[in-house]
Amino acid sequence: MLSIVKNVWVCFYFFPLFWLSSKIGCNFYPLCEICGFRIHGQNVPFEAVVLDKSTGEGVIRAKDKLDCELQKEHTFTIQAYDCGEGPDGANMKKSHKATVHIQVNDINEYSPVFKEKSYKATVIEGKKYDSILKVEAVDADCSFQFSQICNYEIVTPDVPFTIDKDGYIKNTEKLSYGKERMYKLTVTAYDCGKNRASEDVLVKISVKPTCKPGWQGFNKRIEYEPGTGSLALFPSMHLETCDEPITSIQASIELETNHIGKGCDRDTYSEKSLHKLCGASTGTVELLPAPSSSANWTVGLPTDNGHDSDQVFEFNGTQAIKVPEGVVSTTLKEPFTISVWMRHGPGAHEKETILCNSDKTEMNRHHYSLYVHNCRLILLLRQDPSEAENYKPAEFHWKLDQVCDKEWHHYVLNVEFPTVSLFVDGTTFEPFLVTEDYPLHASKIETQLTIGACWQENSGHENDTETVSEPAPGGNARMAQFFRGNLAGLMIRSGKLENKKVIDCLYTCKEGLDVQLPEEVASAVKVEFNPNQSSLTVEGDDIDAFDKVMQHISYLNSRQFPTPGIRHLRVSTAVKCFNEETCVSVPDVEGYVMVLQPEEPKISLSGIDHFARGAAEFESQEGVTLFPELRIVSTITREVEADAEPEVTEGADDDPTVQETVVSEEIMHNLDTCEVTAVGDELDGEHESLEVDLAQLQQRGLEMSSSNLGLVITGVNTMANYEQVLHLIRYKNWHTEALFDRKFKLVCSELNGRYISNDFKVEVNVIHTASPVEHANNAMVQPNFINPVHHASVDLSGHNLVNAHQASVVPSAATIVIVVCVSFLVFMIILGVFRIRAAHQRTMRDQENGKENEMDWDDSALTITVNPMEVNTHTHTLWTPLCPQEVMNRILSEIQTVSMAANESSIQESWTQQ
């Protein structure tokens, strides 16, 4: 084997020689000569040259430069030839073939080159790694010595990393995310010939905080603006599992709203209105209505005023109320429904009554009742005495955790004897115990319906539920079995059962969680809601798909005026790995949705507030319309940013200018109550009333109740419909002789009194028409009295008896005449006072008419001054001398005093108004 040193070829450019020698036998000549060599092979970069023919020595030399990197070794065969016989060299002989191996020696002409342009790695703080990453360089030289990378080096000084000869980088100390989040290192490489890399490489090592499995990108506070639809709760949230091999993920999202109203944000209309909105038919009776002029039996019962006008009543074990007779039938027509909202707990050993119908006197029989006992809900229903004398179901027991958990729950009992179905929060529960009893004995004793306790006669006799033996203070009857908790929306609906659709509607919240699944992840993740959508569960095995679903979970509140405040959020997560065990512990995350204060509406009532009508209109069949031109408008006031910057004049103050302006805009929403009350004296049912067309009310789904205080229109409806109905209210009075004016007040409200309108007051004046008096005179003059006649003294001795009779009769006749005259004058004085007062009031109305163009006068009254002393001389001449002068003067003085006082009062009030 021959070897050629590559650097000789490159540096000195001459051909090294490989000496050859060959001995070829000669048949014809004693001395043979070697004339040449022949190389066999394709593309052999070598040639053979004879140096000495006689000795057969020669040399192999390269035709061109050799490159070890292209071919490290060459192998070929060579033969020698003699010069042949004769002068022309014919019959040339050749030797056997010899194999030649040539190895090209390498020189260190190339430098190391890194395989990557840059390297990146991520480490977690607080951990020392055996190897973070590996860098690798290569060398193009062909020899083992010069092609191997013998060393790597970190060029960047003072970094807590080191690199070994194989290119593995590791940290020399524990890294801190707070100290440095990313390190940038420059690394170079050396081959075994000490050649350095042509270009150094950049290595970036990122430091992550200590990996803690959990949700990242979660905002604790989420603000919700009313009326903006749904709001994404976790738009940037993702789950960190620290690269554990996850097989399944389950997350539960809970929206805590139990502190809002009756468990969540619901419409706060009256329970009766809510039943209508949910599609319940008529016949529903509300036993716990908001206190009003027509339903006042709940007045004085403690209420919970902290839940945004939800009508919630509190019972602390001492309060109970009686439901007036006629509100609900005491003998329920089957089938029937009882529904109630209740918050109760913890349980007590005593019975706590929700609703009870018991004997009013003499006995203690409970006809039907709904009560709580030891966390059980029990319905007692005794059959009528007309039933056959055999055992029948009488008590239905349900053992429920909801009864004592101190949370709001909605209970509906559908009774279709002998079956009773209970729905709690929309879910059906069957009774676990039903006891039987005999029907009640026939009796004519009236019953008393009570709420919060049972009305019992203190007779000491044993009743259906307990023995009452202790005397009650102040009487022979008392309340027993008091309830402790909160009640709301207690309703009885006789004759028909509530269907599931209505029950679900009554319970469903107006706020909750929502999710719109993206199509690409809909099949990879499973989502389930609870009935009121206050919580949901997400299950899946793909972390990326799971994150996308979580990012699409939103909060939605469909109320026009939602209850402001905090709704707490909680996300609980369970993660499993390949061994079906919990390998990653993900801590719960908590936050809250802040529902901002909605822009509150201002309900304004306006129209004609002062007018007069003739007495005949009040006494007519139609009466007088109280609100002929009533307008109901609701507006909200909001602040908006100004479009342009205000101009600042030269020399103005440097104080910042407010860039917001107040804008008022009209909005449309419903009303649920309008109440008309009489101002001053209550309505006297014997001669006055307020009336409205009931057919028009029913057509609009409204109801009306009336009392001596006024009337109340209830029902959820538009402001336009309430306007039309209020236009129909009429006032009638069929005894207007002593009536001069009447005042009324109108108030409307929304959401069970959450938003209340202004007090719109209307004053109605009565115009009395008077007939003219004959011979009336505006000036009062003294009458001309006939001078008394003096008779001469005559001797009438023959007529003494007659004279004596006349002396005795004349005083009696004068007394009678005086009495009649005084009575007539007193009557005329009273009539004059009334006329003066009427004239004074008309004067005041004329003055007010100049200020208010809306005043409507049908007629003008006449001012009549009556001279009570002016009489017909032809008819009363005989009576005039009989009235004593002193009496007449006193009467005239009284009339003038009354007239002057009235005029002075009128002038003084006129100046006061001016």
Side-chain angles (χ1 to χ4, degrees):
M1 179 183 291
L2 302 176
S3 68
I4 299 176
V5 181
K6 180 182 176 183
N7 57 357
V8 173
W9 288 91
V10 173
C11 298
F12 299 98
Y13 196 69
F14 70 90
F15 300 100
L17 303 179
F18 296 91
W19 295 95
L20 302 175
S21 66
S22 178
K23 295 290 185 178
I24 301 176
C26 300
N27 296 327
F28 302 102
Y29 299 97
L31 182 61
C32 295
E33 294 181 350
I34 301 301
C35 290
F37 298 97
R38 180 177 293 178
I39 296 176
H40 297 278
Q42 294 181 353
N43 301 322
V44 177
F46 297 98
E47 63 181 0
V49 180
V50 178
L51 296 179
D52 188 345
K53 290 182 179 183
S54 61
T55 62
E57 294 180 355
V59 64
I60 296 174
R61 60 186 181 186
K63 296 178 182 180
D64 201 351
K65 294 180 180 179
L66 298 178
D67 192 345
C68 179
E69 284 72 35
L70 294 178
Q71 190 170 348
K72 295 175 62 176
E73 293 181 355
H74 298 271
T75 301
F76 54 89
T77 60
I78 189 170
Q79 282 182 313
Y81 296 87
D82 62 8
C83 294
E85 298 177 354
D88 56 354
N91 297 323
M92 182 176 54
K93 302 293 182 179
K94 58 182 179 181
S95 70
H96 68 277
K97 293 181 180 179
T99 303
V100 179
H101 297 283
I102 299 176
Q103 181 177 354
V104 181
N105 291 332
D106 189 23
I107 61 172
N108 195 5
E109 59 180 324
Y110 291 100
S111 298
V113 176
F114 286 95
K115 288 185 177 182
E116 303 291 338
K117 292 183 178 180
S118 63
Y119 293 87
K120 294 181 180 179
T122 301
V123 296
I124 298 176
E125 67 173 348
K127 181 179 179 181
K128 289 191 69 174
Y129 291 81
D130 294 333
S131 174
I132 297 174
L133 79 160
K134 179 183 180 181
V135 297
E136 187 175 0
V138 295
D139 195 303
D141 290 317
C142 66
S143 64
F144 178 81
Q145 178 184 3
F146 298 140
S147 64
Q148 295 300 309
I149 306 299
C150 286
N151 189 27
Y152 291 93
E153 180 183 346
I154 298 176
V155 180
T156 306
D158 301 328
V159 290
F161 298 94
T162 185
I163 189 170
D164 62 13
K165 64 177 182 175
D166 295 324
Y168 289 100
I169 299 176
K170 63 180 181 180
N171 56 323
T172 58
E173 62 184 40
K174 294 181 179 180
L175 305 178
S176 173
Y177 177 79
K179 180 179 179 181
E180 189 71 40
R181 299 187 179 185
M182 178 181 286
Y183 290 91
K184 295 181 180 180
L185 314 176
T186 302
V187 177
T188 191
Y190 294 91
D191 62 16
C192 293
K194 302 299 182 179
N195 270 4
R196 181 175 174 172
S198 58
E199 290 185 4
D200 298 338
V201 71
L202 178 63
V203 178
K204 295 180 180 179
I205 300 178
S206 299
V207 181
K208 288 181 61 176
T210 303
C211 184
K212 297 178 181 178
W215 291 103
Q216 297 182 0
F218 175 78
N219 292 327
K220 186 174 182 180
R221 176 186 172 95
I222 305 159
E223 290 189 354
Y224 179 79
E225 184 176 351
T228 56
S230 61
L231 173 67
L233 296 175
F234 321 113
S236 303
M237 191 167 75
H238 67 277
L239 181 62
E240 175 61 59
T241 59
C242 297
D243 298 328
E244 291 288 344
I246 303 301
T247 58
S248 68
I249 311 171
Q250 183 182 66
S252 298
I253 298 92
E254 297 181 6
L255 179 71
E256 298 178 3
T257 59
N258 53 2
H259 62 291
I260 305 295
K262 296 189 288 289
C264 71
D265 210 359
R266 295 181 173 90
D267 283 331
T268 55
Y269 297 116
S270 67
E271 196 68 21
K272 195 169 186 179
S273 297
L274 289 175
H275 274 70
K276 286 187 176 181
L277 291 174
C278 288
S281 59
T282 57
T284 302
V285 179
E286 190 172 8
L287 300 183
L288 283 175
S292 65
S293 59
S294 58
N296 58 0
W297 62 87
T298 57
V299 175
L301 193 62
T303 59
D304 187 351
N305 296 321
H307 292 124
D308 198 21
S309 299
D310 250 348
Q311 196 60 55
V312 175
F313 295 94
E314 182 180 352
F315 295 83
N316 62 7
T318 62
Q319 307 100 337
I321 59 173
K322 299 179 182 178
V323 179
E325 295 182 6
V327 173
V328 63
S329 174
T330 54
T331 57
L332 295 175
K333 179 182 177 182
E334 295 180 356
F336 67 92
T337 297
I338 298 176
S339 62
V340 64
W341 284 93
M342 181 176 70
R343 179 170 60 184
H344 175 264
H349 296 293
E350 298 82 10
K351 297 178 181 179
E352 300 178 52
T353 300
I354 301 170
L355 177 69
C356 179
N357 185 30
S358 58
D359 288 337
K360 184 177 288 187
T361 57
E362 300 180 12
M363 302 180 73
N364 291 319
R365 301 179 305 172
H366 293 180
H367 293 253
Y368 63 86
S369 66
L370 181 65
Y371 61 94
V372 174
H373 188 206
N374 289 332
C375 295
R376 298 180 183 183
L377 184 68
I378 303 173
L379 173 66
L380 170 69
L381 183 64
R382 300 294 297 275
Q383 294 299 298
D384 294 334
S386 60
E387 300 290 336
E389 292 291 333
N390 55 359
Y391 276 100
K392 291 192 175 183
E395 279 191 349
F396 301 83
H397 297 244
W398 292 270
K399 189 174 182 180
L400 303 168
D401 294 334
Q402 292 90 331
V403 172
C404 295
D405 64 1
K406 296 183 181 181
E407 301 291 342
W408 278 107
H409 298 285
H410 186 234
Y411 301 84
V412 178
L413 293 102
N414 277 339
V415 181
E416 192 170 17
F417 193 82
T419 302
V420 179
S421 299
L422 173 66
F423 296 86
V424 181
D425 298 337
T427 303
T428 306
F429 291 86
E430 296 297 329
F432 82 96
L433 176 64
V434 177
T435 60
E436 296 183 342
D437 203 347
Y438 280 109
L440 295 172
H441 296 291
S443 173
K444 295 183 179 180
I445 301 174
E446 294 183 352
T447 59
Q448 176 65 60
L449 184 62
T450 56
I451 299 173
C454 256
W455 178 256
Q456 297 187 159
E457 176 72 17
N458 185 31
S459 60
H461 300 295
E462 186 175 353
N463 62 13
D464 295 325
T465 57
E466 71 171 3
T467 301
V468 180
S469 58
E470 297 180 1
N476 294 324
R478 68 181 180 94
M479 292 285 188
Q481 301 174 5
F482 285 95
F483 180 77
R484 294 174 178 85
N486 296 97
L487 298 176
L490 180 57
M491 309 287 290
I492 288 184
R493 183 184 181 192
S494 181
K496 192 174 181 181
L497 302 179
E498 293 288 13
N499 58 47
K500 186 66 166 58
K501 183 178 180 181
V502 173
I503 294 173
D504 290 341
C505 175
L506 291 172
Y507 175 70
T508 301
C509 297
K510 290 291 184 177
E511 65 177 343
L513 300 174
D514 189 22
V515 61
Q516 300 295 329
L517 291 179
E519 295 182 1
E520 64 271 17
V521 300
S523 60
V525 178
K526 180 181 178 182
V527 179
E528 292 183 351
F529 286 88
N530 70 335
N532 63 353
Q533 290 191 304
S534 63
S535 67
L536 61 87
T537 302
V538 183
E539 294 184 18
D541 55 6
D542 187 331
I543 295 180
D544 293 336
F546 202 91
D547 288 345
K548 287 183 179 179
V549 172
M550 294 293 291
Q551 292 167 7
H552 282 79
I553 295 175
S554 60
Y555 169 80
L556 177 64
N557 195 318
S558 60
R559 290 192 69 187
Q560 187 177 12
F561 307 108
T563 304
I566 291 176
R567 276 76 163 163
H568 292 281
L569 272 175
R570 178 188 295 270
V571 180
S572 304
T573 311
V575 177
K576 292 184 178 180
C577 297
F578 285 102
N579 55 4
E580 294 299 324
E581 295 181 358
T582 303
C583 58
V584 175
S585 178
V586 179
D588 295 350
V589 293
E590 296 183 358
Y592 60 92
V593 178
M594 172 59 75
V595 179
L596 302 179
Q597 179 73 38
E599 293 165 339
E600 298 188 356
K602 179 182 180 182
I603 306 173
S604 301
L605 309 179
S606 61
I608 298 175
D609 59 358
H610 194 173
F611 59 90
R613 294 289 186 267
E617 291 191 39
F618 290 90
E619 298 175 357
S620 65
Q621 185 66 27
E622 292 77 14
V624 174
T625 302
L626 284 183
F627 312 107
E629 298 182 13
L630 178 70
R631 279 280 290 137
I632 304 177
V633 177
S634 181
T635 57
I636 59 173
T637 302
R638 61 178 58 172
E639 293 183 351
V640 297
E641 294 183 359
D643 294 335
E645 293 287 339
E647 296 183 0
V648 181
T649 59
E650 199 172 324
D653 295 336
D654 294 333
D655 295 337
T657 306
V658 177
Q659 299 297 319
E660 294 182 347
T661 180
V662 176
V663 175
S664 179
E665 71 179 62
E666 185 174 342
I667 63 169
M668 300 300 296
H669 59 89
N670 294 328
L671 300 177
D672 55 8
T673 303
C674 281
E675 184 172 2
V676 182
T677 55
V679 179
D681 297 335
E682 297 180 355
L683 295 174
D684 189 345
E686 295 183 359
H687 64 262
E688 61 179 342
S689 66
L690 288 173
E691 298 180 0
V692 67
D693 190 345
L694 295 180
Q696 294 289 337
L697 285 176
Q698 295 175 357
Q699 182 179 352
R700 292 169 175 82
L702 299 175
E703 296 184 0
M704 186 269 292
S705 58
S706 59
S707 66
N708 58 348
L709 299 177
L711 60 85
V712 181
I713 300 174
T714 57
V716 180
N717 219 313
T718 63
M719 293 184 290
N721 280 336
Y722 264 95
E723 269 188 10
Q724 296 173 7
V725 169
L726 292 172
H727 289 167
L728 304 176
I729 295 179
R730 303 181 303 274
Y731 171 63
K732 295 172 64 175
N733 192 314
W734 48 91
H735 186 67
T736 60
E737 290 83 357
L739 181 67
F740 291 95
D741 56 53
R742 201 69 162 102
K743 295 180 180 178
F744 298 92
K745 180 180 70 174
L746 171 65
V747 178
C748 295
S749 64
E750 157 79 315
L751 296 174
N752 208 17
R754 179 179 176 185
Y755 302 118
I756 304 175
S757 71
N758 59 305
D759 292 349
F760 180 65
K761 296 182 179 180
V762 172
E763 180 178 346
V764 182
N765 296 116
V766 182
I767 301 175
H768 296 276
T769 304
S771 301
V773 181
E774 293 182 357
H775 305 288
N777 192 350
N778 291 331
M780 300 186 68
V781 296
Q782 287 287 350
N784 296 323
F785 290 92
I786 300 175
N787 294 328
V789 179
H790 299 278
H791 299 276
S793 178
V794 181
D795 184 8
L796 297 175
S797 57
H799 303 277
N800 288 337
L801 183 57
V802 177
N803 291 338
H805 176 71
Q806 289 176 351
S808 62
V809 171
V810 170
S812 298
T815 302
I816 294 172
V817 170
I818 290 172
V819 170
V820 172
C821 183
V822 170
S823 299
F824 175 76
L825 290 176
V826 169
F827 170 76
M828 294 304 294
I829 289 171
I830 295 173
L831 180 61
V833 170
F834 276 118
R835 295 299 186 187
I836 291 170
R837 181 183 177 189
H840 168 61
Q841 291 178 349
R842 283 189 291 272
T843 302
M844 296 299 297
R845 285 194 295 268
D846 288 337
Q847 294 173 354
E848 293 177 357
N849 190 26
K851 298 179 180 180
E852 300 184 18
N853 296 329
E854 293 181 347
M855 288 186 60
D856 183 13
W857 292 90
D858 287 351
D859 197 359
S860 59
L862 298 176
T863 302
I864 302 174
T865 303
V866 179
N867 185 355
M869 301 308 300
E870 184 178 16
V871 295
N872 192 317
T873 57
H874 299 285
T875 58
H876 301 290
T877 303
L878 297 177
W879 297 100
T880 301
L882 300 179
C883 293
Q885 183 67 30
E886 295 80 6
V887 176
M888 298 304 297
N889 291 339
R890 180 172 297 177
I891 292 173
L892 292 173
S893 176
E894 292 293 334
I895 293 175
Q896 291 176 354
T897 302
V898 172
S899 177
M900 291 176 62
N903 291 332
E904 289 176 0
S905 176
S906 175
I907 294 171
Q908 183 177 359
E909 290 184 9
S910 176
W911 276 103
T912 302
Q913 294 178 357
Q914 294 176 359

